[in-house]
């Protein structure tokens, strides 16, 4: 036998039980975003490679080693590793900010060739939230509050907020000079990765996970000490608004992010419940990106959450509530009955019911087993007897109520009564 072909490493199938949970999550996310005035966007999965090189930065892990890049005719294309660059590209291309700032969001797969492990995939999903054209610190704070509200809505606890300010380009440049001088002085204590980064992206060295370099990094000049008055005031204002809203946070001076477009506020929501992949949501301000991509300068800020990671935290017990069952399962025996069952199912769908028509043969007993497994509340039985008298037998599957033969022209009404009648009673309408 030939071996079956499997999914690409790091890319997973979302099977029905899980997919239903995803859909429940997505619908919650839509409501949450509407609550903050965000409108949806959908961008292509593939973009010209230079977009990501320019936006994310040539010397980032993502661009250097994680992008799925391929040639197409004369152009180099890349599967998007993130959404912010695409979103800003689309906004520039369609001049979406012509009449003022916009709040936009998107959801979909991103691709990074990272080493796969639990919570880290090569195709993963993000919900991205971008506030474009807003300069005030209140927007940074609002974006952060949004995160907290979502965790509350999902009943997710113990997610911690880490915050930092990266200042302006000029402030970072001054810090960089001193940082490089410090690191050069201690060249012998740098690992290979850091030595390589020294000339290109020294700030990322501060983000190293190498335990042998922690002491060195602790002693390095801190970007915070290089922030000017405007950056400090912005940061203080964000922190004040967070305190007013009762959101605890930790300033982490080593939080630098893996994408180069950020300035001023950066933040991450982290949990210790997911092992090494503890960041469930991250973002910050990126006032320079519009100009970097050839547009008129525009202040902007945003974040993206990792859907797989957030879902992993969402209480497993909740999942049972989201398994979607049909209302009705139609079983049938005999050729004539098969045709009647086919049209009964369609009629009931016209009436707004979710109907699963048995397919695949088998006797009544086997079919009833399937009906039970489907989660439907009622089985509808269409046999030769029923066909003869133009009726259908309705059998409750979740309650010990007797089955009943119902004339076909009264079927929809009867079922509606059975499925929804009780609610009226509870409401006290009867
Ligand atoms: P990011 O930090 O690269 O930022 O990704 C955001 C989130 O996506 C992460 O916190 C994590 O939850 C999830 N994520 C990233 N890589 C993986 C992976 N390999 N497997 C599973 N989940 C992953 C961005 O992408 C920015 N575009 C966020 C942003 C929007 N900044 C401003 N606006």
């Amino acid at each position: 036998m030939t071996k079956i072909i499997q999914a690409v490493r790091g890319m997973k199938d979302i099977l029905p039980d899980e997919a239903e949970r995803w859909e429940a999550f997505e619908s919650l996310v839509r409501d949450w975003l509407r609550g903050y005035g965000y409108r949806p966007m959908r961008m292509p999965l593939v973009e010209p490679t230079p977009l990501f090189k320019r936006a994310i930065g040539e010397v980032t892990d993502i661009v250097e080693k994680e992008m799925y890049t391929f040639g197409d005719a004369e152009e180099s294309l890349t599967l998007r590793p993130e959404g912010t660059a695409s979103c800003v590209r689309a906004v520039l291309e369609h001049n979406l900010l012509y009449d003022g700032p916009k709040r936009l969001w998107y959801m979909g797969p991103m691709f990074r060739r990272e080493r796969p492990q639990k919570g880290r995939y090569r195709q993963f999903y993000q919900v991205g939230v971008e506030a474009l054209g807003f300069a005030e610190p209140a927007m940074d704070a609002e974006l952060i509050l949004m995160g907290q509200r979502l965790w509350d809505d999902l009943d997710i606890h113990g997610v911690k907020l880490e915050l930092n300010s990266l200042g302006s380009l000029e402030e970072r440049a001054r810090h960089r000079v001193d940082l490089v001088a410090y690191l050069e002085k201690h060249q012998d204590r740098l690992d290979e990765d850091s030595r390589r980064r020294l000339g290109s992206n020294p700030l990322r060295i501060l983000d190293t996970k190498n335990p042998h370099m922690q002491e060195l990094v602790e002693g390095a000049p801190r970007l915070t000490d290089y922030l000017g008055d405007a950056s400090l005031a912005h940061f203080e204002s964000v922190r004040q608004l967070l305190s007013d809203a009762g959101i605890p946070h930790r300033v982490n001076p080593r939080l630098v992010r893996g994408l180069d477009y950020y300035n001023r506020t950066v933040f991450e929501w982290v949990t210790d419940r997911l092992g090494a992949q503890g960041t469930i949501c991250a973002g910050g301000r990126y006032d320079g990106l519009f100009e970097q991509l050839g547009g008129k300068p525009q202040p902007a800020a945003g974040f993206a959450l990792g859907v797989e990671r957030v879902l992993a935290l969402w209480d497993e017990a909740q999942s049972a509530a989201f398994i979607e069952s049909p209302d009705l399962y139609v079983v049938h025996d005999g050729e004539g009955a098969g045709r009647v069952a086919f049209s009964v199912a369609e009629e009931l769908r016209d009436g707004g019911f979710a109907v699963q028509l048995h397919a695949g043969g088998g006797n009544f007993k086997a079919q009833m087993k399937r009906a039970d497994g489907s989660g439907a509340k009622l089985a509808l039985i269409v046999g030769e007897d029923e066909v003869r008298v133009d009726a259908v037998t309705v059998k409750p599957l979740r309650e010990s109520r007797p089955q009943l033969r119902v004339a076909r022209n009264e079927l929809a009404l009867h079922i509606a009564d059975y499925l929804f009648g009780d609610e009226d009673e509870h409401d006290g309408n009867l």
Side-chain angles (χ1 to χ4, degrees), residues 82 84 112 114 119 121 126 130 257 261-262 279 302-303:
E82 60 106 45
T84 308
R112 296 183 194 175
E114 296 192 75
Y121 309 102
Q126 283 186 345
E130 315 289 1
R257 308 278 299 121
Y261 48 63
Y262 294 107
T279 307
F303 66 84

Side-chain angles (χ1 to χ4, degrees), residues 227-245:
L227 299 189
D229 290 346
S231 290
L232 279 175
H234 187 100
F235 196 41
E236 273 320 303
S237 187
V238 175
R239 295 191 61 194
Q240 185 62 54
L241 287 163
L242 292 180
S243 302
D244 291 351

